[in-house]
Amino acid sequence: MSEVPLTAHSVLHVPLLHPRPAGWPVTVADRPVALLKPLLGHAMGLGYIADVVEKQEESDPAPSPVSRRVVLLVEPSLQQVAQTWSDPVTGAYRFDGLSMSARFTVVAYDHLRNWRAVIADGLAAKAVQP
């Protein structure tokens, strides 16, 4: 039986214990199915979060859109739900398929390391309009 590939954001992280408790599975294929199901179901739904990433320099009062890595975390656990890059021309980003009852944190990172990360927390997803 081949092993199932796992991603860091969709499985239960269990610390490596030495020695392992009696009966603890040795390989992924031996783990109970419940551990392989995504844990972020409470963050999924029909809503979206969208905004724009901009930078504003002291010498120029008008903000300008930039392309940056944007990460979406679900509160209060701060588990990563998704990530994307903002549009290089408009600075816009959007996360779809989110629960409207959950709260989220969005972090925009400057991969060039010229600016500190920008964080917006306590965000609620908006309903998608038909």
Side-chain angles (χ1 to χ4, degrees), residues 41-47 74-75 98-104 123-125:
H42 64 285
M44 300 302 140
L46 299 175
V74 64
E75 297 175 5
L98 304 176
S99 169
M100 290 179 286
S101 62
R103 292 293 176 260
F104 298 91
L123 301 176

Side-chain angles (χ1 to χ4, degrees), residues 77-113:
S77 68
L78 297 181
Q79 283 184 291
Q80 182 175 330
V81 176
Q83 71 174 334
T84 190
W85 282 82
S86 59
D87 183 83
V89 176
T90 65
Y93 67 87
R94 182 176 169 129
F95 296 104
D96 290 299
L98 304 176
S99 169
M100 290 179 286
S101 62
R103 292 293 176 260
F104 298 91
T105 296
V106 173
V107 183
Y109 293 97
D110 180 13
H111 60 286
L112 303 173
R113 301 278 187 197

Side-chain angles (χ1 to χ4, degrees), residues 4-19:
V4 177
L6 300 176
T7 58
H9 64 276
S10 65
V11 297
L12 177 64
H13 293 278
V14 179
L16 295 177
L17 303 173
H18 298 284

